[in-house]
Amino acid sequence: MDYKAALKQIQQGRFAPVYVCYGAESYLIHALIEKLTDKMIDPEQKPFAVTKYDLSETPLDTVIEEAETLPFMVPRKLVVASNALFLTGAKESAKVEHKPERLAQYLKTPADFSVIVLTVDADKLDERKKVVKSLKEADCLVSCASLSADDLSHWVKQEAEKAGFSFAPGVIEQFIMYTGTSLQALSSELEKCALFVGRGGVLTEDALEQLVTRTIEQNIFILIEHIVQLQLEKAFTMLSELLRRKEEPIKIMALIARQFRIMFQVKDLQQQGYSQQQMASQLGLHPYAVKIAAGQSSRFELKRLANILDQLSDLDYQMKSGKIDKVLGLEMFLLKLIA
């Protein structure tokens, strides 16, 4: 099942005996455990009812024995174990030895007073393994993958509503572009925005500019967005800002090249009929990054993007060999691009 399905079951008070939470979005994994804890256990009982282990240091046997032991002073308990790498294809260098067959046996007759949650920082599990097959058959696997572009925008909107404020039209997209796609980072910035605008307030573009500290990667996104929109003055202002912050021109050029390379790849896959989700999987990118690149690449022919990448390759050589002033080289590239 996916995160949404698992969350729905938990909110209805239906708990699986075992959950295996995996995927790129650790924020969702922690949110699921938090929701499970809140629904299963009274707040004052948490010290007695929640036990946590690290499977890089503790054998799986210990976790299962804990789940099978009657709870003390509480009706139910939650056993959380992180780093369940034995469920993936990764080579383990841990000090402990696990017996995955014990987990498969436990699934047949689980304790009715315990819930086990195993977490692993991996995009996928090794479905060739018997224990993973058993967990899949029991519907215990919870995929916490990156949200789609639309789901990410919806999530930001919902979280803002919970915090008591809203976004001005078009500002959600800018907020994500400025902050990035990590739910943890977005959550932190949403808290900051909520404090600034107050309950019932509206976050405007001007307020966003003051509040959110952008990384160089986010600034390159914005720089290229200005280029795509043929906003020459804004593009040069952004470049000047990056240089004022002492960002290395060669690093700026490399990040511009990276974004144009993504645009080229997205455009190529788009023409082959790939969906945005398929492109994200193929390129190893967040779906929102693919959405942005797809929008930006729509202004260019594939041949033009290939030509721009050639220009950037040539500029890289000239800058590194000292044949052109680095800042001048970047400025000339922007002028050619927008001309």
Side-chain angles (χ1 to χ4, degrees), residues 222-273:
I222 297 161
L223 172 62
I224 292 173
E225 189 64 25
H226 292 328
I227 292 166
V228 167
Q229 300 297 335
L230 303 180
Q231 296 170 330
L232 184 61
E233 186 177 342
K234 288 185 176 181
F236 273 94
T237 299
M238 179 59 72
L239 178 60
S240 297
E241 176 66 17
L242 289 167
L243 295 169
R244 188 182 65 78
R245 292 185 190 180
K246 306 296 183 186
E247 296 293 354
E248 172 57 43
I250 289 178
K251 182 180 180 182
I252 295 172
M253 185 275 304
L255 287 169
I256 291 173
R258 178 182 180 273
Q259 185 59 19
F260 271 101
R261 193 173 300 110
I262 290 170
M263 289 162 64
F264 177 87
Q265 291 169 325
V266 166
K267 185 90 172 177
D268 184 37
L269 290 173
Q270 218 170 19
Q271 291 182 358
Q272 294 179 48

Side-chain angles (χ1 to χ4, degrees), residues 10 15 17 19 47 106 145 166 181 220 249 266 287:
I10 290 166
F15 312 121
Y19 293 95
Y106 177 81
S166 60
T181 54
I220 294 298
V266 166

